[in-house]
Amino acid sequence: MKNIRNFCIIAHIDHGKSTLADRLLEYTKTIDAKDLQAQVLDDMDLERERGITIKSHAIQMDYNYEGEQYTLNLIDTPGHVDFSYEVSRSIAACEGALLIVDAAQGIQAQTISNLYMAIENDLEIIPVINKIDLPSAMPEEVEDQIVELLGCKREEILRASGKTGEGVYDILEAIIKRVPAPQGDPEAPLQCLIFDSVFNSFRGIIAYFKVVNGTIRKGDKVKFIATDKEYDADEVGILKMNMVPRKEVGTGDVGYIISGIKTSKEVRVGDTITHVKGGAKEGISGFEEVKPMVFAGVYPIDSEDFENLRTALEKLQLNDASLTFQPESSAALGFGFRCGFLGLLHMEIVQERLDREFNMDVITTVPNVSYKVYDKKGNCTEVHNPSGLPDPTLIDHIDEPFIRASVITNTAYIGPIMTLCLGKRGILLKQEYISGDRIEIHYDMPLGEIVIDFYDKLKSISKGYASFDYHIHDFRPSKLVKLDILLNGEPVDALSTLTHVDNSVTFGRRMCEKLKELIPRQQFDIAIQAAIGSKIIARETIKAVRKDVTAKCYGGDISRKRKLLEKQKEGKKRMKQIGTVEVPQKAFLAVLKLD
């Protein structure tokens, strides 16, 4: 056990974690040269296309150092703020972390928040400056930033390049020398922490775990403490590029278990596996439930696919424990699910994965956040969906979630960023210089304002230099109104939103204009209206497509023409009563991109 090292890699998005992980695998000869490709651990097509890591991946490497054989368990983690839950799970299974900082960009917001997470879990931090081969690299300045942030010595900071492989052997040496061996008792009752799971259509559900105490062997009778279900360990083993079966997995090691579990509800991330006979009485603590930030309805385009969508979401949830969902129905879209996501990118990725991995065509409604609604008697209900809002006459006040946001940027972009944050009802708390021309600005902002397009706008006004991180802070009362969109007097519940009083009129007007462009013309006039309660605040009309019925009257009496026009008018009126307006999926998505 003294020769096992468990470590993860944490960094801001795009600082070169996956490339460095490739080099570690190559230099420890875990992968043959012929299998080598860029971003080896990112095995999802989506991850390769976008160049981001979505899932954390575990892999075991063997390395010979000064005549001794060491086992290194690497868990590669995502860098995007929407996947920080993946990072927290990986950190729970490790004793050390490589903190990677880009030599050209320096420390950014996500670096800091992931670092705090690692420090809270008492991980040994090894700072690494990556991409030192870049012409724009400034390792000295970045070293100053790291020393200031971590309070470490300069000589503890390693310099490396994932691209050229420079400094990789130093990193391997540092992992062996600095990261402590796992603490655990091989003789104690078995306790394994589940940190991930995947679905395999032939073998059932495969759970990945770290053995904290005891040893798990093939054929053992095991039980999962949280669900209290018992299973046979058909196969246990370790994770290399593929799964490698072993007779037993000992204390401190990371491995997998296959026990023919069929239903996804029985495996929970953060659960503990123990033996049925003489097992541990309680689970391992320290795993927090994930809190979704953004809620949106996901509906199948064909209502018969409802059950298939449920199965697809359950399988996806195994692989992505931060996705939550519950059934709901809507007048316009039929039966579907209310899903909770960690952010907009997470929502986009889930939609994309449903399409690619499960061939599900879905409609997603406008994303929103959860509010606390207090009635006149002082009772509080949590509302995730504008249509769940009680009658306005019964509401005393509504509390909305506020976040504590930190933006790290170059001083050149302070002006536009402050304008953006104030436009989103942000309250400036403080600003502090990190080093030279880099500044950290702290804001309190309503989560509902940043949920739609804040991140995209921040990136574009700062030319990609500003980095953003946030956590939920508290709930505060605010003046919110429900904005309904009516088509021919019928409310479309999928398009209703809760918005602040000050923004409601302009938002309603922009929505009507946008929908006018996107909804196809019909045989009758379509009135698009935005309403707050019974008060209409904006209106646009889509004119009817009509046939020229008077074309056959060349000359002649006006009454003949009028008769034909009146007849047409009657027909249009009848058509309007029975006609329905189809809202295309583009219209739901357009609401997200209103500028």
Side-chain angles (χ1 to χ4, degrees):
M1 203 168 102
K2 69 179 197 306
N3 286 5
I4 295 178
R5 300 285 181 272
N6 298 324
F7 68 100
C8 60
I9 301 184
I10 53 177
H12 187 81
I13 180 172
D14 253 356
H15 280 205
K17 306 174 284 306
S18 301
T19 316
L20 202 65
D22 290 352
R23 291 294 84 74
L24 290 171
L25 295 176
E26 184 187 346
Y27 283 34
T28 54
K29 300 190 172 56
T30 307
I31 291 184
D32 296 335
K34 67 174 193 293
D35 293 335
L36 207 59
Q37 50 174 343
Q39 296 172 299
V40 176
L41 293 179
D42 295 348
D43 51 12
M44 224 185 285
D45 294 343
L46 259 179
E47 292 180 310
R48 295 182 162 281
E49 278 167 31
R50 292 171 177 242
I52 56 176
T53 307
I54 295 169
K55 285 288 302 155
S56 48
H57 289 271
I59 189 161
Q60 191 175 92
M61 306 180 280
D62 293 320
Y63 186 56
N64 203 322
Y65 178 71
E66 292 180 351
E68 278 199 61
Q69 191 73 7
Y70 287 88
T71 299
L72 311 178
N73 288 311
L74 154 69
I75 302 181
D76 179 27
T77 61
H80 198 282
V81 61
D82 278 12
F83 303 111
S84 54
Y85 182 63
E86 290 278 331
V87 183
S88 74
R89 290 164 26 189
S90 309
I91 284 176
C94 293
E95 282 82 35
L98 291 182
L99 176 76
I100 292 185
V101 183
D102 186 327
Q105 297 188 33
I107 284 175
Q108 294 190 289
Q110 199 55 37
T111 318
I112 296 176
S113 74
N114 285 344
L115 173 71
Y116 287 154
M117 221 188 288
I119 290 174
E120 271 169 34
N121 283 322
D122 293 336
L123 264 60
E124 178 63 39
I125 310 285
I126 302 175
V128 178
I129 298 180
N130 193 19
K131 305 194 186 180
I132 55 167
D133 58 313
L134 287 181
S136 58
M138 29 175 214
E140 268 71 29
E141 285 99 324
V142 177
E143 260 182 20
D144 294 340
Q145 292 175 17
I146 293 176
V147 168
E148 206 169 301
L149 179 70
L150 271 177
C152 62
K153 298 190 182 71
R154 266 183 184 281
E155 52 272 17
E156 288 178 9
I157 302 173
L158 305 174
R159 293 188 182 186
S161 161
K163 193 168 163 190
T164 62
E166 186 184 335
V168 173
Y169 286 118
D170 300 344
I171 294 177
L172 287 166
E173 183 183 339
I175 291 167
I176 288 167
K177 287 192 169 165
R178 295 195 216 167
V179 176
Q183 303 294 317
D185 181 359
E187 303 306 316
L190 175 71
Q191 278 183 314
C192 306
L193 173 75
I194 299 179
F195 65 87
D196 203 357
S197 56
V198 291
F199 181 80
N200 180 314
S201 43
F202 301 107
R203 315 288 310 260
I205 291 157
I206 304 170
Y208 296 160
F209 59 80
K210 178 195 174 187
V211 185
V212 180
N213 291 314
T215 306
I216 185 167
R217 295 177 181 81
K218 185 179 172 173
D220 280 358
K221 277 254 186 229
V222 294
K223 78 167 180 181
F224 289 22
I225 289 181
T227 53
D228 214 24
K229 293 266 179 39
E230 300 184 1
Y231 305 101
D232 289 329
D234 297 336
E235 185 181 305
V236 296
I238 56 162
L239 299 154
K240 292 254 178 167
M241 267 320 277
N242 300 314
M243 293 184 280
V244 184
R246 289 282 157 94
K247 289 263 191 328
E248 60 178 48
V249 180
T251 311
D253 226 337
V254 174
Y256 70 92
I257 177 169
I258 298 177
S259 47
I261 305 171
K262 294 287 182 288
T263 50
S264 50
K265 287 192 181 66
E266 294 175 22
V267 179
R268 287 201 202 140
V269 168
D271 195 358
T272 307
I273 307 175
T274 187
H275 284 128
V276 174
K277 284 190 182 144
K281 293 289 175 281
E282 71 264 3
I284 302 157
S285 62
F287 235 95
E288 74 265 19
E289 280 287 304
V290 57
K291 293 185 192 69
M293 305 283 179
V294 179
F295 295 89
V298 174
Y299 294 87
I301 285 178
D302 187 353
S303 54
E304 290 167 7
D305 286 343
F306 176 71
E307 280 305 322
N308 300 351
L309 180 60
R310 185 199 295 275
T311 319
L313 282 168
E314 280 177 359
K315 287 180 184 170
L316 203 56
Q317 194 179 32
L318 270 181
N319 198 275
D320 179 355
S322 45
L323 171 70
T324 58
F325 63 92
Q326 65 211 45
E328 72 161 4
S329 62
S330 132
L333 300 168
F335 289 101
F337 293 92
R338 187 105 201 123
C339 297
F341 307 99
L342 294 184
L344 271 193
L345 177 73
H346 186 210
M347 175 174 139
E348 206 178 306
I349 295 290
V350 166
Q351 226 179 314
E352 191 81 354
R353 287 182 69 183
L354 281 171
D355 181 28
R356 291 189 182 195
E357 295 172 26
F358 305 100
N359 287 332
M360 292 299 311
D361 281 339
V362 293
I363 288 180
T364 315
T365 63
V366 181
N368 51 28
V369 298
S370 54
Y371 298 93
K372 289 184 175 168
V373 179
Y374 291 88
D375 60 15
K376 298 269 166 70
K377 294 176 184 165
N379 301 328
C380 168
T381 47
E382 202 165 280
V383 174
H384 297 312
N385 190 345
S387 59
L389 210 62
D391 192 84
T393 52
L394 304 173
I395 298 173
D396 182 48
H397 67 276
I398 301 177
D399 283 4
E400 66 173 333
F402 266 70
I403 57 163
R404 180 66 49 91
S406 80
V407 178
I408 295 183
T409 177
N410 195 306
T411 42
Y413 306 113
I414 293 180
I417 286 173
M418 285 191 162
T419 314
L420 173 71
C421 293
L422 291 171
K424 298 280 186 190
R425 298 190 284 134
I427 303 158
L428 179 65
L429 299 174
K430 61 175 179 189
Q431 45 190 30
E432 49 198 18
Y433 283 87
I434 302 176
S435 67
D437 59 353
R438 293 167 68 74
I439 186 168
E440 185 172 10
I441 314 173
H442 295 269
Y443 268 98
D444 274 357
M445 294 164 78
L447 179 63
E449 292 281 342
I450 68 151
V451 105
I452 291 188
D453 56 358
F454 177 79
Y455 195 64
D456 300 345
K457 283 187 176 165
L458 181 73
K459 281 292 183 203
S460 55
I461 60 177
S462 66
K463 300 191 172 58
Y465 274 111
S467 57
F468 169 68
D469 184 45
Y470 66 90
H471 59 267
I472 286 283
H473 188 57
D474 55 5
F475 279 80
R476 299 180 193 180
S478 61
K479 284 184 162 175
L480 297 168
V481 288
K482 181 182 170 193
L483 181 72
D484 285 317
I485 298 291
L486 313 172
L487 293 181
N488 282 345
E490 291 290 319
V492 182
D493 58 351
L495 285 173
S496 34
T497 47
L498 276 175
T499 174
H500 196 261
V501 164
D502 301 349
N503 310 341
S504 57
V505 176
T506 46
F507 188 65
R509 196 168 293 145
R510 291 205 323 258
M511 274 189 55
C512 290
E513 286 164 7
K514 195 78 183 172
L515 289 170
K516 184 181 178 181
E517 294 167 20
L518 291 165
I519 294 176
R521 288 172 70 182
Q522 307 282 351
Q523 295 278 341
F524 49 89
D525 282 4
I526 303 172
I528 305 171
Q529 293 164 309
I532 295 173
S534 54
K535 181 184 168 196
I536 304 290
I537 54 169
R539 169 178 173 136
E540 293 284 337
T541 310
I542 300 177
K543 284 295 180 197
V545 184
R546 43 175 289 206
K547 181 180 169 190
D548 187 358
V549 286
T550 58
K552 60 186 178 192
C553 309
Y554 44 94
D557 189 18
I558 184 70
S559 58
R560 283 184 62 199
K561 290 185 179 175
R562 191 163 295 139
K563 183 179 148 196
L564 290 167
L565 289 168
E566 287 297 327
K567 194 173 162 190
Q568 183 187 34
K569 198 167 159 189
E570 282 299 310
K572 295 276 179 213
K573 203 167 173 182
R574 262 204 315 278
M575 208 183 264
K576 185 172 182 173
Q577 284 166 0
I578 57 165
T580 55
V581 183
E582 288 287 316
V583 183
Q585 167 75 354
K586 280 201 305 238
F588 293 111
L589 297 176
V591 180
L592 314 186
K593 302 206 164 52
L594 283 179
D595 292 332

